[in-house]
Amino acid sequence: MQTKRMFCLLFVLLYLFVLNRAGQSNPTFYIETADKRYVLRKKPPGELLPGAHKIEREYAVQKALYSVGFPVPHSVLYCTDTHVIGTEFYIMEHVQGRIFRDLRLPGVSAAERTALYVAAVETLAKLHSLDVSTLELLGYGKGTGYCKRQVCTWTKQYKASAHKEIPAMDKLSDWLSRNLPTNDNEVSLVHGDFRIDNLIFHPTEARVLAVLDWELSTTGQPIADLAYFLMPHYWPSHYKVISTMGGVTGVEGIPSPDDLISIYCHCRGIPNSLPQQNFFIAMAIFKMAAIAQFIKDAFFICSSTLAMPISKELFMLSPKGQAVLQHVKEFMRKHVLPAQQVSTAVISQAKARAAGLWNLFLPAESGLSQLDYAHIAEETGHCFYSPEVFNCQAPDTGNMEVLHLFGTEEQKRLWLEPLLRGDIRSCFCMTEPDVASSDATNMECTLHKDKDHFIINGKKWWSSGVFSPQHFINIVNVCVHVQMFFRHGLHSMILVPLNTPGVKKIRPLTVFGQDDAIHGGHFEIHFDNVRVPASNILLGEGRGFEIAQGRLGPGRLHHCMRAVGLAEWALELLCQRAAHRQAFGKRLYQHEVVAHWIAECRIAISQSRLLTLHAAHTLDTQGNKAARKQVKYCYFNSYFSLILYAYARTLRIADGPDEVHLSSIALLELRDQRRRAQAKL
């Protein structure tokens, strides 16, 4: 009873992450304590369909299977008290390992694909070899007649979800009803949804550590499970039914259906053949078609209410992005988050670089898209110094992008390569103290050509990274001291080493009294007759605005990505305090005003995340220019807690006031509306 109360309390106190996945109907949460990790499964709120969401069955079957050594998570407790969190729930231990969402297993060798599929089918055979009568599952399932019940159940499901008549589905339903197998009396424990993405594999070995999602489990014909597992072999490899559940035909290393059937039969000690194999494959495909029809119905209802066009895959990561994100999460958990109170960025940097988690922001170096990096950067936002651990810190990310896109080979050798190695740091000097720099055409810092050198004079502030001991190079936005024909051709960008005579660090700047020293602080810098070689100019005189547009798109987006993670961290702190602190006889979260704060924060963060992912997707698919408005959408954010708020507020000073971003959004929206109106004429 004491253990049950402890876990009920943990649910309320700990930060919960919803694990959204296609086809998963019972809400699932990850719970982490100081020394252990758990997973909580609960019934959805509200009125439920009869017979659906029977999480008590999941708990019972997993508990029984764990007791006989079958690979399932250890179920710890089941809570029937709906007053705790609003529904019944159960808690199981978290199993750490690999989950492959794509059945084609990208990112592993052909030999490992073979081994993983063999391990999966051997696990299925092990399940079907268990004696149900010894599992203490009295009354679990209806036994014989499984195939007849399945055909009836999924026919009803399909007809309830279909928007229109599909003759092929009606014919298949009739054919299945007329061709039920003669051996439908065989009974074993069946999973009901056995496929690769419902398995947790060992982190490095081809071994199944746990079988998940027992919601559809029952007793019945075991060959139905095997046929469902083999089903992706029977549709085209490019075809996707749910999420990344595409066909596997022709994928190197994945065994053929005949080979998998042979392994299965050998493990069970039965004849190497499947009577009425066509029926079982057809029934599996019919079941999947019914599920797909239901999901299509739900997706149609949801997507028709969205005002903003989004990717049909809801901004999913690439397979490589998924792998890197998981690696980053594990690295953060082991090496970064435990040391937040004392910055160990330099020590962790060596570990991150050795792990291959380095320069993740730059597609040319990491092979990741902006959308991939959006998810990763959010994760790094949970700790102030973690971007530096992965050499993904501001302002170096934007500066490295500038050098990568616009630098000469010599400039790259001198400054980009050391920056990519993490040997030096950089600074971006744009905003000025004496003018309204939100209008960049006001800038007064000047550039004079003197033979084979340029001379720079002026003042800059909110220049980040200046106080870093590794700081070596500045990128300075300057005004060309000649009369030009157009206002956006007045500026240039030039590389100025910090040790150049005439570069003066005046003072650090603060926000709310805080010295923003996370990445070397923000400084006021004066340039007094600073003389640098003409070869230090970037791209050419008068091309500063062109460079700025190339830098500010991804650069600002990186800030937004990290800020979303920062907001999640702030909300976590808010929830912890609201759950621990008591006032007027109640926990803070039980006071309606605090509960509303939490809800409003969750809504705002979720909105910001979607805006950020949409901007990243637009950058990947349409380029910087097309993504300008989307980037400004997601850049307009606000957060809480003194240090966190000061950090976020700094972004909204150093990178331009809110009003300027809002005005830009309005102008871009007016332009888009005008174009739409003209297109209708």
Side-chain angles (χ1 to χ4, degrees):
M1 196 64 189
Q2 183 67 26
T3 302
K4 180 177 178 180
R5 282 197 296 269
M6 179 189 74
F7 277 103
C8 293
L9 183 61
L10 276 174
F11 175 81
V12 177
L13 297 182
L14 296 176
Y15 186 59
L16 304 177
F17 296 90
V18 181
L19 308 175
N20 294 315
R21 186 172 65 81
Q24 179 173 291
S25 57
N26 290 327
T28 305
F29 301 86
Y30 172 69
I31 302 177
E32 185 169 340
T33 67
D35 58 347
K36 297 206 71 173
R37 290 175 288 177
Y38 302 91
V39 172
L40 180 148
R41 292 265 283 180
K42 66 184 286 288
K43 291 188 177 185
E47 187 176 350
L48 304 178
L49 294 173
H53 310 290
K54 297 288 187 178
I55 62 168
E56 64 273 21
R57 290 172 57 81
E58 294 182 31
Y59 174 78
V61 70
Q62 288 186 193
K63 194 171 183 66
L65 288 170
Y66 185 83
S67 68
V68 296
F70 186 81
V72 290
H74 181 203
S75 296
V76 181
L77 68 83
Y78 188 91
C79 179
T80 58
D81 186 354
T82 59
H83 292 91
V84 178
I85 63 172
T87 67
E88 296 181 23
F89 67 91
Y90 73 92
I91 290 177
M92 53 187 163
E93 291 184 352
H94 178 265
V95 178
Q96 183 66 40
R98 293 181 292 172
I99 297 179
F100 297 96
R101 297 301 185 197
D102 192 328
L103 308 188
R104 294 160 293 189
L105 309 188
V108 304
S109 66
E112 189 172 7
R113 283 193 197 101
T114 302
L116 291 168
Y117 263 82
V118 169
V121 81
E122 287 177 343
T123 301
L124 183 61
K126 181 179 180 180
L127 173 67
H128 295 160
S129 298
L130 295 174
D131 185 350
V132 179
S133 64
T134 65
L135 290 177
E136 299 181 4
L137 288 171
L138 186 64
Y140 194 84
K142 298 181 180 179
T144 61
Y146 175 79
C147 293
K148 182 178 181 179
R149 293 194 301 274
Q150 284 286 292
V151 172
C152 180
T153 296
W154 291 109
T155 297
K156 290 179 180 178
Q157 177 66 66
Y158 155 68
K159 289 182 177 179
S161 303
H163 296 290
K164 61 181 180 180
E165 290 188 10
I166 305 176
M169 284 289 285
D170 295 332
K171 289 180 180 179
L172 180 55
S173 174
D174 292 340
W175 183 88
L176 290 169
S177 298
R178 294 195 308 269
N179 291 274
L180 293 169
T182 56
N183 63 339
D184 202 15
N185 293 327
E186 184 180 355
V187 174
S188 74
L189 186 61
V190 295
H191 182 274
D193 194 16
F194 192 89
R195 57 181 194 256
I196 285 287
D197 57 333
N198 273 338
L199 308 179
I200 300 178
F201 289 93
H202 188 278
T204 59
E205 302 172 12
R207 177 159 56 90
V208 176
L209 297 182
V211 181
L212 306 178
D213 286 356
W214 293 85
E215 183 180 353
L216 299 179
S217 65
T218 185
T219 55
Q221 172 54 256
I223 302 305
D225 256 355
L226 177 60
Y228 189 78
F229 178 71
L230 296 175
M231 176 177 50
H233 287 80
Y234 295 93
W235 61 58
S237 59
H238 65 276
Y239 184 63
K240 293 182 180 180
V241 178
I242 295 177
S243 185
T244 54
M245 193 172 171
V248 299
T249 305
V251 178
E252 185 182 6
I254 295 182
S256 68
D258 288 343
D259 289 338
L260 292 172
I261 290 170
S262 177
I263 295 168
Y264 172 86
C265 292
H266 175 76
C267 291
R268 287 197 62 198
I270 60 177
N272 191 10
S273 65
L274 297 183
Q276 294 185 265
Q277 179 177 341
N278 287 343
F279 170 86
F280 290 105
I281 296 297
M283 185 173 73
I285 293 176
F286 179 74
K287 172 182 174 181
M288 183 55 68
I291 294 173
Q293 180 66 35
F294 173 76
I295 292 176
K296 180 180 179 182
D297 181 41
F299 180 78
F300 175 80
I301 293 171
C302 294
S303 62
S304 64
T305 65
L306 292 171
M308 182 178 66
I310 60 174
S311 163
K312 67 178 180 180
E313 294 196 354
L314 297 177
F315 312 125
M316 290 178 62
L317 292 90
S318 68
K320 181 173 183 177
Q322 291 177 355
V324 174
L325 176 60
Q326 187 60 39
H327 200 176
V328 167
K329 286 182 176 180
E330 190 64 19
F331 189 94
M332 292 273 293
R333 187 184 67 80
K334 287 183 178 179
H335 304 296
V336 179
L337 297 179
Q340 286 190 86
Q341 301 304 317
V342 180
S343 176
T344 58
V346 176
I347 298 173
S348 299
Q349 267 191 338
K351 295 178 180 177
R353 189 168 182 179
L357 301 175
W358 197 251
N359 296 326
L360 302 175
F361 71 95
L362 192 60
E365 289 287 319
S366 66
L368 300 172
S369 66
Q370 293 291 350
L371 183 56
D372 288 334
Y373 183 65
H375 292 275
I376 293 166
E378 178 184 343
E379 190 67 26
T380 66
H382 284 77
C383 172
F384 283 126
Y385 75 82
S386 63
E388 186 178 349
V389 169
F390 306 106
N391 207 39
C392 293
Q393 68 282 345
D396 298 300
T397 53
N399 293 341
M400 284 188 270
E401 282 180 319
V402 165
L403 286 165
H404 171 72
L405 292 172
F406 307 112
T408 65
E409 292 304 314
E410 181 66 7
Q411 290 167 352
K412 291 178 182 179
R413 184 185 67 81
L414 289 174
W415 296 299
L416 177 58
E417 291 177 12
L419 282 167
L420 288 172
R421 292 195 301 267
D423 295 340
I424 65 172
R425 295 289 299 273
S426 62
C427 170
F428 189 70
C429 301
M430 185 171 182
T431 308
E432 299 184 4
D434 297 335
V435 298
S437 303
S438 54
D439 178 359
T441 60
N442 288 335
M443 290 184 186
E444 295 178 342
C445 188
T446 60
L447 184 76
H448 293 269
K449 186 74 177 287
D450 182 21
K451 297 181 181 178
D452 58 351
H453 282 74
F454 284 109
I455 299 174
I456 305 164
N457 282 283
K459 302 175 183 178
K460 297 287 183 180
W461 69 350
W462 295 105
S463 300
S464 51
V466 175
F467 203 64
S468 169
Q470 295 171 290
H471 173 224
F472 183 76
I473 189 69
N474 303 317
I475 295 180
V476 185
N477 194 348
V478 293
C479 182
V480 182
H481 196 64
V482 293
Q483 187 64 38
M484 304 292 283
F485 291 106
F486 59 101
R487 63 200 299 258
H488 290 103
L490 295 175
H491 296 81
S492 300
M493 288 195 186
I494 191 165
L495 295 155
V496 182
L498 180 66
N499 58 2
T500 306
V503 178
K504 300 176 181 179
K505 292 186 290 186
I506 303 302
R507 63 187 176 108
L509 303 174
T510 61
V511 178
F512 303 137
Q514 294 285 326
D515 181 4
D516 183 22
I518 299 165
H519 49 49
H522 285 97
F523 265 72
E524 180 175 348
I525 303 177
H526 291 183
F527 297 87
D528 185 8
N529 288 318
V530 174
R531 190 179 188 89
V532 295
S535 59
N536 284 22
I537 198 80
L538 280 165
L539 199 58
E541 292 183 72
R543 303 186 70 177
F545 269 87
E546 181 180 345
I547 297 171
Q549 292 308 310
R551 182 189 192 277
L552 293 179
R556 279 178 172 162
L557 187 60
H558 297 165
H559 277 311
C560 298
M561 296 166 179
R562 290 187 290 267
V564 171
L566 180 72
E568 286 286 2
W569 182 19
L571 180 56
E572 179 180 350
L573 297 176
L574 172 61
C575 289
Q576 288 177 357
R577 184 171 180 83
H580 284 87
R581 195 91 167 169
Q582 186 167 327
F584 303 103
K586 295 189 292 186
R587 299 286 183 183
L588 291 184
Y589 75 88
Q590 294 174 317
H591 292 277
E592 188 174 41
V593 64
V594 178
H596 286 186
W597 287 347
I598 293 171
E600 288 166 359
C601 289
R602 165 49 57 215
I603 292 168
I605 293 171
S606 297
Q607 288 173 337
S608 297
R609 177 181 291 107
L610 282 173
L611 287 168
T612 303
L613 295 177
H614 182 238
H617 175 74
T618 306
L619 275 171
D620 285 332
T621 57
Q622 301 180 44
N624 289 359
K625 186 175 181 181
R628 283 178 62 201
K629 187 164 68 172
Q630 283 74 19
V631 171
K632 288 182 179 292
Y633 283 161
C634 61
Y635 199 75
F636 190 74
N637 290 307
S638 60
Y639 307 100
F640 20 81
S641 178
L642 178 58
I643 297 176
L644 275 65
Y645 182 75
Y647 170 73
R649 187 64 221 172
T650 300
L651 300 182
R652 297 169 70 175
I653 297 173
D655 275 29
D658 303 340
E659 291 77 12
V660 172
H661 292 294
L662 288 171
S663 296
S664 296
I665 292 171
L667 288 173
L668 290 167
E669 180 62 23
L670 287 166
R671 181 201 65 187
D672 292 345
Q673 293 286 354
R674 186 168 59 251
R675 287 178 178 174
R676 293 190 192 104
Q678 290 173 348
K680 293 178 181 178
L681 297 177

